[in-house]
């Protein structure tokens, strides 16, 4: 979801519609170029006509099975993290609206031209930090972003998956701090 928000902010900045100044943007793994992403079975099902039914039938067991697959082998999902993530999702029966919570995937199709253009044309400092073991936002997605914006600096985390901020929070904090410090 975060890359959708970020790319919309880039688009609005290009249009002069932001009241705040974007000093720099650091994007992590995200299916910004959706047609290049390798969506999970659950994501595909939730995007389909069967999405509401799939959401209604979701369970902690199925969530854990799907979620575990997007972590790198070097940093597997811990039982504690799985429990915490499920608790966040299931709060007030949120798992029953998973098809709506993943609606951002539909928006990535609907706003593709706008958001791809923003990635390409935003005049500010844009950097990428990518978990190379991500089975969803694979190297193909990274390559597609770099086709739009070839000179973009990239930090590649060779042993991290889809959620590098969970797998190695200190490493990710360093990347965020580095770009934040360079803008002051």
């Amino acid at each position: 979801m975060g890359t959708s928000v970020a790319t919309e902010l880039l688009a609005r900045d290009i249009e002069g519609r932001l009241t705040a100044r974007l000093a720099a943007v650091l994007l992590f793994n995200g299916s910004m170029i959706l047609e290049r992403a390798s969506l999970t079975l659950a994501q595909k099902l939730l995007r389909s006509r069967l999405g509401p039914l799939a959401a209604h039938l979701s369970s902690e067991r199925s969530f854990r099975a799907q979620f575990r697959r997007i972590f790198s082998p070097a940093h597997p999902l811990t039982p504690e993290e799985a429990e915490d993530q499920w608790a966040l999702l299931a709060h007030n029966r949120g798992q029953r609206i998973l098809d709506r919570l993943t609606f951002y995937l539909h928006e990535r199709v609907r706003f593709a031209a706008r958001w791809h253009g923003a990635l390409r044309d935003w005049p500010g400092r844009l950097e990428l930090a990518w978990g190379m073991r991500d089975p969803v936002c694979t190297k193909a997605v990274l390559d597609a972003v770099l086709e739009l914006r070839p000179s973009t600096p990239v930090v590649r985390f060779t042993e991290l998956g889809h959620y590098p901020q969970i797998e190695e929070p200190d490493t990710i904090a360093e990347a965020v701090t580095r770009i934040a410090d360079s803008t002051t």
Side-chain angles (χ1 to χ4, degrees):
M1 289 180 210
T3 53
S4 295
V5 173
T7 50
E8 177 59 25
L9 288 172
L10 297 178
R12 290 181 187 194
D13 193 37
I14 291 169
E15 295 167 346
R17 294 176 44 210
L18 287 184
T19 57
R21 180 182 162 272
L22 295 178
V25 173
L26 175 62
L27 296 175
F28 290 89
N29 298 46
S31 54
M32 297 163 261
I33 316 293
L34 190 62
E35 64 272 14
R36 298 274 188 97
S38 299
L39 299 181
T40 67
L41 177 61
Q43 288 173 312
K44 290 175 185 176
L45 190 57
L46 289 166
R47 286 185 70 214
S48 76
R49 292 181 334 185
L50 299 175
L53 177 62
H56 183 75
L57 296 174
S58 65
S59 67
E60 183 173 4
R61 182 176 178 207
S62 64
F63 169 78
R64 284 178 183 245
Q66 289 287 311
F67 199 56
R68 153 181 332 117
R69 293 183 181 132
I70 59 178
F71 283 76
S72 70
H75 303 90
L77 177 66
T78 66
E80 299 80 17
E81 186 67 39
E83 182 179 340
D84 289 347
Q85 293 294 329
W86 175 255
L88 290 168
L89 179 62
H91 179 73
N92 286 336
R93 300 173 50 85
Q95 79 277 17
R96 298 292 184 243
I97 60 166
L98 264 171
D99 58 311
R100 289 183 264 166
L101 294 175
T102 58
F103 198 77
Y104 67 92
L105 294 171
H106 294 286
E107 291 173 335
R108 290 192 180 156
V109 173
R110 180 177 174 198
F111 298 112
R114 176 178 176 78
W115 292 348
H116 296 176
L119 287 168
R120 182 189 60 241
D121 300 334
W122 185 64
R125 180 175 166 202
L126 176 67
E127 293 190 24
L128 302 170
W130 215 265
M132 299 306 292
R133 298 282 181 158
D134 186 339
V136 176
C137 303
T138 63
K139 183 178 179 299
V141 177
L142 174 60
D143 290 344
V145 174
L146 292 173
E147 287 170 20
L148 292 172
R149 196 173 176 118
S151 61
T152 304
V154 182
V155 176
R156 291 172 175 83
F157 300 110
T158 58
E159 296 302 318
L160 298 181
H162 188 70
Y163 287 107
Q165 68 275 25
I166 294 174
E167 292 186 30
E168 277 194 13
D170 291 342
T171 300
I172 301 312
E174 288 173 15
V176 171
T177 300
R178 178 188 51 78
I179 197 165
D181 287 349
S182 69
T183 62
T184 56

